[in-house]
Amino acid sequence: MVAKSNGKKPPRKIKQIAIYGKGGIGKSTTTSNLSAALSDMGYKVMQFGCDPKADSTNTLRGGAYIPTILELLRENGRVEAHEAIHEGYNGVYCVEAGGPSPGVGCAGRGIITAVQLLKQQNVYEELGLDYVIYDVLGDVVCGGFAVPIREGIAQHVFTVSSSDFMAIYAANNLFKGIQKYSNAGGALLGGLIANSVSGGYQRSIIDDFVSRTGTQVLQYVPRSITVTQSELAGRTTIEAAPDSEQAGVYRELAKKVEAHENSASPRPLDPRELRDWASEWSDQILAIERGEVRSSGALI
Ligand code: ADP
Ligand code: MG
């Protein structure tokens, strides 16, 4: 739990970032390593878990879970923000919005409630944050999950995706959500973080998808056993294996996020275009497997 600060600090520019992507694609892993790396760079960071699973921040806290805002609200009827904020690795502030009791209510409401609560209580300013990173969800399935985008709370959105079609499908849906709110002060897209993408055609698929949708790959993050080992120890790779190559990749990502200024409205593919695009890649991969073309698409 974090002590409530009394003194007013001068306002500073807080960079607010939202990370979206299909379930299980590596959002929380990437976000936690990003938060840890940014805090190592001297920034004050809050990681705000918006997934009803409420497991966003546990590798920042030795594998321990924290009470969620919705849980506290159910128990006490009201929540003081400082009860919901817990310090993790190197002072990263951890918050979990939580969700309704399973099978009851709307999960998106948790985010609306949690974000409003911290906003009303002026927490970001009081803590003197440099970064708030929202670890959200896959598809923008309901208004609640769109909150960080829709209300313009986040300035920049990044999506985590592999080259799997369902991950790309979710990313494309997110792009539709961003495009929809982009003229009404909503958050814009900073780019895609390619997770668990090895070389060859996996990289070509991702590269092709970002170029068709008018965005960029911010960072390629390889699949790594160091991540698995660190997670099993309840820690981020930045904490558990700071000298590893993988930790270096996450530090590179943090530097790119630090330098990132200009986000844009993406150009999502419509269902027909996405279907045709996928079919083209299906043919392409078949040809690669048969040895007719190289992964770049060039005929051998
Ligand atoms: P999400 O938050 O998108 O649901 P998680 O971050 O919880 O996904 O990741 C799901 C699983 O994949 C975790 O067990 C995590 O350790 C693993 N994982 C994610 N990224 C990598 C990676 N680059 N290398 C190895 N394992 C990874
Ligand atoms: Mg997660």
Side-chain angles (χ1 to χ4, degrees), residues 229-241:
Q229 190 273 327
S230 309
E231 184 189 40
L232 291 171
R235 291 183 290 168
T236 60
T237 301
I238 291 287
E239 181 182 13

Side-chain angles (χ1 to χ4, degrees), residues 30-43 45 47 59-60 89-90 92 133 236-239 250-251 254:
T30 310
T31 307
S32 301
N33 277 291
L34 172 61
S35 296
L38 285 169
S39 82
D40 279 349
M41 287 157 71
Y43 290 114
V45 182
Q47 183 162 322
T59 54
L60 289 164
Y89 170 79
N90 201 28
V92 174
I133 311 182
T236 60
T237 301
I238 291 287
E239 181 182 13
Y250 289 125
R251 278 193 289 269

Side-chain angles (χ1 to χ4, degrees), residues 162-164 196-207 281 295:
S162 68
S163 61
D164 288 348
S196 297
V197 169
S198 54
Y201 60 78
Q202 293 189 349
R203 195 161 168 152
S204 306
I205 288 176
I206 284 285
D207 288 346
W281 269 106
S295 62

Side-chain angles (χ1 to χ4, degrees), residues 95-217:
V95 180
E96 297 281 354
S101 309
V104 194
C106 160
R109 277 234 52 94
I111 304 173
I112 301 174
T113 308
V115 169
Q116 277 172 353
L117 196 118
L118 295 200
K119 245 175 135 182
Q120 278 160 6
Q121 298 186 21
N122 253 342
V123 177
Y124 299 170
E125 291 76 13
E126 268 194 24
L127 293 175
L129 298 180
D130 298 299
Y131 284 92
V132 181
I133 311 182
Y134 301 89
D135 173 11
V136 199
L137 263 195
D139 297 88
V140 186
V141 283
C142 84
F145 296 116
V147 163
I149 300 175
R150 199 183 58 200
E151 319 264 304
I153 290 170
Q155 296 118 19
H156 310 284
V157 178
F158 295 99
T159 182
V160 178
S161 181
S162 68
S163 61
D164 288 348
F165 183 66
M166 288 320 293
I168 287 179
Y169 183 87
N172 192 60
N173 271 349
L174 170 71
F175 294 0
K176 286 183 193 167
I178 294 173
Q179 192 185 46
K180 188 166 172 182
Y181 298 114
S182 62
N183 290 328
L188 295 174
L189 183 68
L192 183 148
I193 300 166
N195 190 39
S196 297
V197 169
S198 54
Y201 60 78
Q202 293 189 349
R203 195 161 168 152
S204 306
I205 288 176
I206 284 285
D207 288 346
D208 190 28
F209 175 69
V210 296
S211 91
R212 300 236 186 169
T213 50
T215 185
Q216 57 165 345
V217 174

Side-chain angles (χ1 to χ4, degrees), residues 21-30 51 53 55 135-136 160 195-196 221-228 231 246 250:
K22 175 186 167 292
I25 204 65
K27 293 178 296 296
S28 301
T29 307
T30 310
D51 191 320
K53 284 206 308 279
D55 63 350
D135 173 11
V136 199
V160 178
N195 190 39
S196 297
V221 181
R223 191 154 191 89
S224 155
I225 190 73
T226 316
V227 173
T228 312
E231 184 189 40
Q246 190 77 3
Y250 289 125

